[in-house]
Amino acid sequence: MAVLTPHTPEEFFAGHEDGLAVYRSVTAAVAALGDYEERVSRSQIALRHGRSFAFVWRPGQYLRSEVPAVLSIALRRRVESPRIKEVVRPAPRVWMHHLEMRSPGEVDDQVAQWLAEAYLDQAPDPEQQRDQAGQAEGQEPGPTDRGES
């Protein structure tokens, strides 16, 4: 039997309304920061601003858990807080912080600050955007695109 990839947050959290409510609280905090993109996959919903900066997923997909959603926030520094379940370092400049979210109200000012930091950390580089726009118009790549300094 083929597993269908969800296309919307509602499909991702089908049958898990408490997780969807947490997700909506996260996206309300992110929307206050500006434009962002969401990418829904079978395993998670990625929030992007240039690059992915936060992920919401259901731990019950992978292990026995009563937690409706986990919020994973990518920061350039390690944050110490009793609210954070686990911190991993998937890349030299990325610390991934996993928070078990039991209710929408847990997306409070502190979580919103971490989301804002991650959002700004992953913002598109204006110079890179300009170079990409020029390439899209058929212009030659700039020196940084050729690996030159």
Side-chain angles (χ1 to χ4, degrees):
M1 179 169 98
V3 177
L4 300 177
T5 301
H7 295 97
T8 66
E10 291 75 18
E11 290 175 3
F12 182 84
F13 284 107
H16 303 276
E17 295 305 313
D18 47 355
L20 181 60
V22 168
Y23 173 77
R24 287 183 174 148
S25 188
V26 169
T27 56
V30 170
L33 302 171
D35 293 337
Y36 70 96
E37 174 188 353
E38 67 183 26
R39 290 197 182 164
V40 181
S41 70
R42 279 194 299 250
S43 61
Q44 65 191 5
I45 303 173
L47 303 178
R48 298 175 53 85
H49 181 61
R51 285 178 264 172
S52 297
F53 65 92
F55 307 84
V56 182
W57 50 282
R58 290 187 310 108
Q61 288 180 288
Y62 307 103
L63 43 107
R64 195 174 0 243
S65 176
E66 297 301 316
V67 176
V70 170
L71 171 61
S72 300
I73 304 174
L75 297 170
R76 290 187 179 172
R77 65 185 179 97
R78 182 184 182 113
V79 172
E80 297 293 337
S81 169
R83 298 181 70 181
I84 297 171
K85 173 81 173 185
E86 181 181 29
V87 180
V88 295
R89 194 170 189 189
R93 293 182 53 168
V94 178
W95 293 91
M96 190 65 67
H97 302 76
H98 302 292
L99 293 88
E100 292 181 334
M101 308 300 286
R102 290 176 172 74
S103 73
E106 291 185 350
V107 183
D108 59 11
D109 290 342
Q110 183 178 47
V111 172
Q113 287 175 345
W114 291 332
L115 286 167
E117 182 179 339
Y119 179 89
L120 294 173
D121 281 350
Q122 299 304 322
D125 177 15
E127 186 174 316
Q128 182 181 7
Q129 283 184 315
R130 190 171 45 252
D131 287 346
Q132 288 173 350
Q135 288 176 32
E137 294 170 7
Q139 296 177 358
E140 287 294 315
T144 57
D145 296 321
R146 292 189 202 115
E148 300 170 13
S149 333

